[in-house]
Amino acid sequence: VQIYLVTRPIFSEDSFSAEYKKIDRQHKSLRDHVKEYFTCDGKRVKNALLSLLPIIAWMKIYRLKEWLLGDVVSGVSTGLVAVLQGLAFALLASLPPGYGLYSAFFPAVVYFFLGTSRHLSVGPFPVLSLMVGAVVTRIVPDVGPPANITEFEGLTINQQRVIVASSITFLMGIFQLAMGLLQVGFIVIYLSDTLISGFTTAAAVHILVSQLKFVFGLKVPSFSGPLNIFYTLEQIFLQITKANVADVVTSIIIIVAVIAVKEINERFKLRVPIPIEVIMTIIACGVSYGFNFEEIFKVDVIGNIVNGYESPLAPNVEVMKEGAVDAITIAIVGFAVAFSVAKVYSVKHDYIIDGNQELIAFGASNIFGGAFRSFAASTALSRTAVQESTGGKTQIASLISALIVLITIVGIGFLLEPLPKSVLGALVIVNLKGMLMQFREICYLWTRDKTDLVIWVLTCVAAIILGLDLGLAVGVGVELITVVFRAQFPRCCILANIIGTDIYRDRKDYLCIHEPDKVKIFRIPSPIFFANIEFFRDKLIQAVGFSPLRVLRKRNKALRKIKKMIKNGELQMSSSGIKPTALVPASDKLDDENNTDDLDQPTDFSDLPVQVNWKAELPANISVPPVDIHSLVLDFSAVSFIDISALKVLKMTLKEFIRVDVEVYIVSCDVYIREKMHDCMFFDDEIKTSMFFPTLHDVMLHILTKHPDCSQDSQWAKVEHSPTLTERTLLTSYLTKVGISQYFTP
């Protein structure tokens, strides 16, 4: 057992400050910060350039012989997956599949230069695709006229939808770029892992339902807004008898085969996983083309894929006005998911990522992609996992995967035209496995943290029922409410000493503890501010067992009555104290009963020859509530800040205790809180700086020396009460009794 030995005097904050001088630091003013921010020199230019173009930093350390082969293998594997996911996720965005290839190419190229993560595979993400699709179908619905947008005149429904998706993506990129330039990457801290898990699980449910129409080969219109998932399910069940058998059989074969091979990949941890999605896609294309599924079985296929790249497209301002709120939500969700994934791999491979630079990278990627008709890009978890697991070391792998997509767009895209959409739907459903398995977190959270469980469940349910945009807002609202409740209603407790140590813990949690007689140690485990100060005050009164304000008022009323009775001759002074006279009966009536102005003031004995002992029996049936403690200790070790409103109530509360002869001490108070107290004129004749102590044990030893009667308790010390008993003897007796005298020299 290791022990430590400390010999030092008992410190209050005043004596500690006198013994150890504090460095007088000069804090920078706002003007200094602004001047420093706009100061430019060669070093700052270099750092800014390296920050804006992270590619320079990691290219300088690139190990050509060790990393290149892994990046090439990873890039080819990831590129094949990116092609299929681009086609599939375009269906989620209610766009022609070919435009998903644009989303897999342009953002990845831009991120290659600007991103700080070396393993992130940038491109379409199913949740974002679905959120973009909700905006697309709202502005350009399957049934009925589109929104009144001037530029829509003379365009087909697919062309209109491409304009909507690219404009929303462009605006999303602007929001991300602006947040990055304004250094507000911290915004993602308000999206906890629990909230993101519940939200993405709900998104997976939406994606699953949206793909059922392709799996069954049904013509189901897209719905948007609250309850859209139920409207979609209603239409599917109404048309289920019209399901295309060829689509259903194809989907089942694809799902079974892909799941089986993926399990083999995971179980045997293959160096290069079997690209089962690519294999099944090639087989499905060949079978569909050979047996003419489109004509014979009426299977809906991808059809014409744009050969090459279309000209850039300017974003539509009217569309951006219609979808501004959605663009903000998509921008935040996209960045939060990507940053969460990037953090995992940066920790695993020991490098640093910059949240603000990631915002700039994704903002530029989506602006550039939106100008070239792609839709919202982030990262797909499965695609990033493929890139990392197949040996990818840097964004060279992402660049090679983008080249694979480029080859598909300009060269071999026509080979995918016979591919049934049911195959893409089946591949999307299979890749939802990871997100759908997050339902298991309900059991985990139930046993670990009920509050997080509430956040998860409410976010998931709200996102399923109300839609992803409103569901996210509900989730953030619930999360903030739980934070407020945790801060507003903290778990206050009474501390006691662990026998034989200088450690103090909650008295309810331990058996081998000692609670000093007539001393209460009250711990506040949260910041104190306007919303919880009354809760703190109520808990404090509950802990000590009496209301100091009520006791003070009762004492002042009793003192007023005693003074009147002495004036009327009903009480007389003697050497033994105040006694009632034998001839005049005591009066129970008190004049000025309604005059309560001075009842809250300190008890005034100035016009009495003696002071009243409130613990003794009072004459004339006068009674006041008892005060069972002489010292109150407030543990501020967990108090990180206190506002002005709370300071006022705290000052009033402390004065109430002091006025009923309870000594109040505050321990472990942050130095900046004490400075704020000085600035706010917290201290006066009653509340003094001498009540502050650096540690709990310092203040308890101080109380022991000041109130030797505490040592009557066998756990503290057995000492003889004698006027000649010195402080050293008393401390030695206490330390010996609690078993730590060998560690201290009083």
Side-chain angles (χ1 to χ4, degrees), residues 577-596:
I578 303 174
K579 294 182 179 180
T581 59
L583 301 177
V584 183
S587 172
D588 292 331
K589 186 176 180 181
L590 182 62
D591 64 342
D592 296 330
E593 198 67 46
N594 295 325
N595 183 15
T596 61

Side-chain angles (χ1 to χ4, degrees), residues 36 148 526 724:
E36 181 181 350
N148 186 20
S526 76
T724 61

Side-chain angles (χ1 to χ4, degrees), residues 113-138:
F113 295 99
L114 301 178
T116 58
S117 173
R118 302 177 193 172
H119 295 86
L120 218 56
S121 177
V122 176
F125 177 52
V127 176
L128 295 194
S129 302
L130 190 67
M131 296 175 76
V132 170
V135 183
V136 168
T137 54
R138 188 180 75 235

Side-chain angles (χ1 to χ4, degrees), residues 193-379:
D193 291 342
T194 302
L195 184 145
I196 291 176
S197 174
F199 177 77
T200 52
T201 304
V205 174
H206 276 279
I207 294 169
L208 174 64
V209 172
S210 71
Q211 296 307 293
L212 292 178
K213 65 181 180 181
F214 299 113
V215 169
F216 291 110
L218 303 175
K219 301 293 183 182
V220 177
S222 299
F223 298 94
S224 61
L227 305 178
N228 66 82
I229 190 172
F230 300 105
Y231 297 141
T232 303
L233 287 172
E234 179 187 19
Q235 290 297 317
I236 290 173
F237 285 120
L238 289 175
Q239 302 180 37
I240 195 67
T241 55
K242 301 177 183 179
N244 189 307
V245 177
D247 277 323
V248 174
V249 173
T250 302
S251 299
I252 292 174
I253 294 173
I254 295 292
I255 291 173
V256 171
V258 173
I259 289 178
V261 176
K262 278 181 173 288
E263 287 296 324
I264 293 174
N265 288 339
E266 291 180 8
R267 177 164 297 185
F268 295 101
K269 301 186 183 302
L270 301 178
R271 170 74 171 141
V272 178
I274 300 172
I276 184 61
E277 292 102 331
V278 177
I279 295 172
M280 296 306 296
T281 301
I282 294 173
I283 294 174
C285 277
V287 173
S288 175
Y289 179 78
F291 290 93
N292 198 7
F293 274 20
E294 184 178 12
E295 296 294 334
I296 298 177
F297 300 104
K298 306 301 179 185
V299 170
D300 193 11
V301 298
I302 289 179
N304 292 329
I305 293 181
V306 179
N307 186 20
Y309 290 102
E310 297 184 359
S311 58
L313 180 69
N316 186 282
V317 177
E318 295 176 84
V319 171
M320 290 195 290
K321 289 180 180 179
E322 288 283 336
V325 176
D326 301 278
I328 295 175
T329 305
I330 296 170
I332 294 175
V333 172
F335 172 66
V337 172
F339 190 67
S340 299
V341 176
K343 280 196 301 184
V344 171
Y345 290 105
S346 69
V347 171
K348 181 177 180 180
H349 295 277
D350 192 24
Y351 61 88
I352 298 173
I353 58 173
D354 182 351
N356 293 313
Q357 179 61 27
E358 286 294 292
L359 272 171
I360 293 174
F362 278 106
S365 298
N366 282 300
I367 290 174
F368 191 73
F372 282 89
R373 303 172 188 259
S374 65
F375 55 89
S378 179
T379 184

Side-chain angles (χ1 to χ4, degrees), residues 528-543:
I528 305 176
F529 56 103
F530 66 93
N532 69 357
I533 182 61
E534 290 299 332
F535 174 83
F536 154 70
R537 176 185 166 88
D538 293 341
K539 284 293 183 180
L540 179 59
I541 291 174
Q542 181 181 338

Side-chain angles (χ1 to χ4, degrees), residues 29-104:
S29 65
L30 178 61
R31 180 181 178 183
D32 294 330
H33 284 290
V34 172
K35 182 180 179 180
E36 181 181 350
Y37 185 80
F38 287 102
T39 299
C40 184
D41 54 29
K43 185 178 180 180
R44 293 202 65 182
V45 171
K46 179 182 177 181
N47 291 337
L49 185 61
L50 290 175
S51 174
L52 189 60
L53 293 173
I55 183 176
I56 299 174
W58 61 260
M59 282 296 284
K60 287 166 59 178
I61 62 171
Y62 192 82
R63 303 173 188 172
L64 189 65
K65 294 181 179 180
E66 298 178 30
W67 292 354
L68 184 59
L69 179 60
D71 280 340
V72 171
V73 173
S74 174
V76 173
S77 303
T78 308
L80 296 175
V81 175
V83 169
L84 297 179
Q85 289 189 349
L87 296 172
F89 296 162
L91 299 180
L92 295 175
S94 301
L95 298 173
Y99 290 96
L101 299 178
Y102 292 174
S103 298

Side-chain angles (χ1 to χ4, degrees), residues 555-556 558-559 562 603 605 612-616 618 624 661:
R555 286 186 178 183
N556 281 329
L559 185 62
I562 289 172
T603 306
F605 297 105
V612 178
N613 181 5
W614 299 111
K615 297 179 182 180
L618 300 176
V624 295
D661 304 322

